[in-house]
Amino acid sequence: MASSTVTSSQPERPARPNLAFRQLRGRRSPAEFAALVRRAAREIGERVSCDARYIGRVEAGEIRCPNYAYERVFLHMFPGRTLSDLGFASRSSVRGRAARTAAGPAGPAGPAGPAGPAESRGGSEPYESRETREMRETHHPLVLQAARNSQDPQDSQEQYELYELYEPHEKHPLNHEESDVLRRAFMTGGGATVAAAALAPLGLTTGAAAAERPPRRAGTPEAAALEEAVRRIRLLDDRHGADGLYRRAAAPLRAAYALLDAGATRQTTADRLHAGAGELAISVGWLAHDSGRFDDARSHYAEALATARMTGDAALEAHAFCNTAFLARDAGRPREAVRAAQAAQRAAQPLGSARLLSLLALREAGGWAGLADRTGCEQALARAQALFERGRSDADPEWMSFYGEAELEGLEAQCWSTLGDWRRASRHARRAARLQDPHFTRNIALYTAELADDLAREGRPDEAAEAGLRVLALLDQVQSSRIQTMLAGTARVLLPHRRASGVAEFLDRQRARRA
């Protein structure tokens, strides 16, 4: 058997776990702690896309020193402490090692080369892994070209946030002229730029140029790019909803399965590719689901389920069944929703995540509510609450970062609404909107739309109109057919109450937005 020709991505010496940082995390799960990091970043005007994987890399010692943005955030979170107190190596010691690696032990201009430290030359940050560096080195020219080629004058805020997320200033210090070109292009760009900027830099696009390239076996950089594409799609969906993303998200999914067909250099890489492709199929399926394309969503979820079954990936199987149950409920197939949720629970049992089982019990409760089985629904809700109270754990999947107390309340509100208990539904929807992390703009809009509908049906039109107006204000940031459909239903209920306070304004603004 031929040996692999791919250079190992292992560091020169084994990484030492960062026990000090792990101790600071305490009993929080990596995903929960990552959410605290993002919140702290917003408090000081920084922008970091921290997730559970990043926290895991820090604690494993893979990131010996954080970049400047993360450094500012961590020092803000733990005032009075230094990077050393947080378990990191000094920046000077890490940078010296990177510079020697980049220029050689005795380069033509000394250890740092002619341009000074690696950061000043725009080279890789010294604390990056090899796979991250290889991905990043292709980002800048492709993002810039996508921005310059954009013609669609839509979704301006989404475009610029995408630029901010994928073009960190610490890693690519742009000159003023180039930065201004990017800013203008993203502020006037549209859906085409979303896909190009988010996915082309990761090497996951398809088209004429890609078709001309001969297929090659995938390695660690491709697997990492696939995983990063999933994170970015989820992040944009959290902020802006699915409608502006789905149009382009199918291309990277096709590219991901093309990578699988081409094969991988190692079995571990093949496993990552299968898991990443399955998760990407679920993410694209959710974009279809949330934008009202139920048949497309069903197809993508089935594709993810098939991938999970082929590779024996119980976590992916549980996720695929979870989303299938949610889709079946929304599509008016409640019995299928119950069966899919129960299948998801069977797959998830060995994984050791109480929070995952809690969410799956809520999916089952939604199916029972759709069958008008109040007893079955209440039993599933009680089970979901008991599992939720066990708290987070390291076994919780990364994709579940959205599932906190707010989502628990929101899904319970939907169950009571389906059962026609409007008073109880509105109480839970109000709690959900109040508890939601501001990062999840789409969910705030969703819970508030649920509240507006429940209040309208409960016979409180003035409060319903007030909640509806709050949702309309958020729709400047969120594009979701699901939320638009909910507001249209609320408007129909409120039509006979036009004279109530605020109702006429809500109806007029809702009609104008749909026009």
Side-chain angles (χ1 to χ4, degrees), residues 22-43:
R22 174 63 186 88
Q23 186 175 12
L24 290 170
R25 175 161 66 87
R27 300 182 62 183
R28 301 181 185 92
S29 71
E32 190 173 17
F33 191 74
L36 293 178
V37 173
R38 295 194 301 269
R39 185 180 305 167
R42 290 193 298 272
E43 291 173 358

Side-chain angles (χ1 to χ4, degrees), residues 301-372:
Y301 293 159
E303 191 169 31
L305 183 58
T307 302
R309 290 282 178 83
M310 283 189 296
T311 57
D313 189 333
L316 180 60
E317 182 176 345
H319 192 184
F321 271 130
C322 174
N323 279 44
T324 299
F326 198 14
L327 173 65
R329 189 208 69 170
D330 285 354
R333 299 190 297 269
R335 197 169 300 281
E336 180 185 330
V338 171
R339 291 198 301 268
Q342 290 172 343
Q345 290 169 78
R346 288 192 294 272
Q349 280 293 343
L351 302 178
S353 171
R355 283 289 170 93
L356 174 57
L357 290 171
S358 173
L359 176 61
L360 298 176
L362 282 169
R363 297 287 188 243
E364 182 183 341
W368 290 123
L371 291 169

Side-chain angles (χ1 to χ4, degrees), residues 249-263:
L253 182 58
R254 290 193 297 272
Y257 278 97
L259 287 175
L260 290 181
D261 289 339

Side-chain angles (χ1 to χ4, degrees), residues 30-272:
E32 190 173 17
F33 191 74
L36 293 178
V37 173
R38 295 194 301 269
R39 185 180 305 167
R42 290 193 298 272
E43 291 173 358
I44 61 173
E46 288 290 351
R47 182 170 300 180
V48 296
S49 51
C50 186
D51 58 17
R53 184 170 181 266
Y54 179 88
I55 298 300
R57 291 180 62 214
V58 170
E59 293 178 358
E62 295 178 26
I63 298 176
R64 297 178 58 208
C65 183
N67 70 15
Y68 292 112
Y70 275 105
E71 176 182 355
R72 288 188 286 270
V73 175
F74 291 150
L75 296 183
H76 170 68
M77 292 177 69
F78 305 106
R81 304 191 188 218
T82 65
L83 284 180
S84 178
D85 295 332
L86 301 179
F88 294 109
S90 66
R91 190 174 302 282
S92 58
S93 66
V94 178
R95 176 180 290 149
R97 177 171 172 264
R100 287 192 298 274
T101 303
E119 241 173 286
S120 301
R121 300 193 309 273
S124 65
E125 285 281 272
Y127 40 81
E128 287 183 305
S129 66
R130 174 176 172 269
E131 66 187 64
T132 305
R133 182 173 69 253
E134 290 178 359
M135 287 166 51
R136 180 185 58 72
E137 285 172 348
T138 64
H139 283 198
H140 178 251
L142 287 170
V143 173
L144 181 61
Q145 191 61 44
R148 286 172 171 159
N149 290 345
S150 174
Q151 301 295 325
D152 187 355
Q154 298 176 10
D155 310 331
S156 60
Q157 181 60 31
E158 184 172 326
Q159 307 315 304
Y160 186 62
E161 287 192 10
L162 198 63
Y163 159 60
E164 292 284 346
L165 285 169
Y166 303 159
E167 197 64 14
H169 300 292
E170 285 76 22
K171 294 184 180 179
H172 277 299
L174 306 178
N175 62 52
H176 293 300
E177 179 183 359
E178 193 171 62
S179 179
D180 190 52
V181 169
L182 274 170
R183 181 183 296 269
R184 287 198 307 271
F186 274 87
M187 291 301 286
T188 59
T193 312
V194 173
L199 305 167
L202 299 176
L204 292 175
T205 55
T206 57
E212 292 172 1
R213 292 194 297 268
R216 65 185 182 89
R217 301 183 76 190
T220 302
E222 287 78 17
L226 182 52
E227 292 161 354
E228 186 64 17
V230 174
R231 293 189 188 96
R232 292 179 180 184
I233 287 174
R234 288 173 183 162
L235 181 60
L236 287 171
D237 176 54
D238 290 341
R239 292 182 175 179
H240 303 289
D243 288 9
L245 292 171
Y246 180 70
R247 294 191 297 269
R248 300 285 175 164
L253 182 58
R254 290 193 297 272
Y257 278 97
L259 287 175
L260 290 181
D261 289 339
T265 55
R266 300 186 181 96
Q267 184 58 48
T268 54
T269 303
D271 292 342
R272 287 179 65 184

